[in-house]
Amino acid sequence: MSEPRMNSVPVPDSRIDGVESDRSAAVAWALGLFLGVLGVDRFYLGKHQTGALKLLTGGGFGIWWLIDLISYIRGTALDVQKRPLSNFPSSPRGMIVISSLAFTPVLLFVTWIILNAEPIP
């Protein structure tokens, strides 16, 4: 005689195959790239609480912003209902190139500030 299973009720997977979000991956990526430190990308995906938190922390001090940006490029980002985003490009090379071009002036500016900083007496 077998023992009754305590968790015999199946739990549906929140990622249903073939069901995409009505939110676009390209729009989420663009919002994340240019306004991600303000949490605008999270608000777009319907994640209002984490959008507000991202806004208050400056994109999680830049770390959360970068992680979200990578998830948009990889195509692993989900909306508030845990559905994959629609209209993901067949090749994210364009996203990678544009993201790299957007980061270059920032990296140059930070490098310039570090190299020209006056020593603290």
Side-chain angles (χ1 to χ4, degrees), residues 27 38 51 73 88-89 106:
V27 172
L38 302 175
I73 292 172
F88 186 76
V106 173

Side-chain angles (χ1 to χ4, degrees), residues 22-119:
D22 55 345
R23 306 293 186 198
S24 169
V27 172
W29 164 77
L31 290 172
L33 180 62
F34 298 110
L35 299 170
V37 294
L38 302 175
V40 174
D41 55 333
R42 290 277 174 153
F43 287 113
Y44 172 72
L45 296 176
K47 301 176 179 181
H48 302 292
Q49 290 87 2
T50 56
L53 189 59
K54 199 171 171 185
L55 173 65
L56 294 174
T57 61
F61 306 105
I63 297 169
W64 193 358
W65 169 67
L66 187 61
I67 291 170
D68 278 351
L69 193 61
I70 292 169
S71 72
Y72 299 138
I73 292 172
R74 291 184 65 217
T76 58
L78 305 173
D79 69 359
V80 71
Q81 297 170 337
K82 308 248 189 259
R83 297 178 299 176
L85 303 179
S86 64
N87 301 328
F88 186 76
S90 59
S91 174
R93 287 184 187 144
M95 290 178 169
I96 294 169
V97 169
I98 294 171
S99 297
S100 300
L101 290 174
F103 278 122
T104 301
V106 173
L107 292 175
L108 290 174
F109 180 69
V110 169
T111 304
W112 181 81
I113 288 176
I114 291 170
L115 293 176
N116 292 310
E118 295 291 327

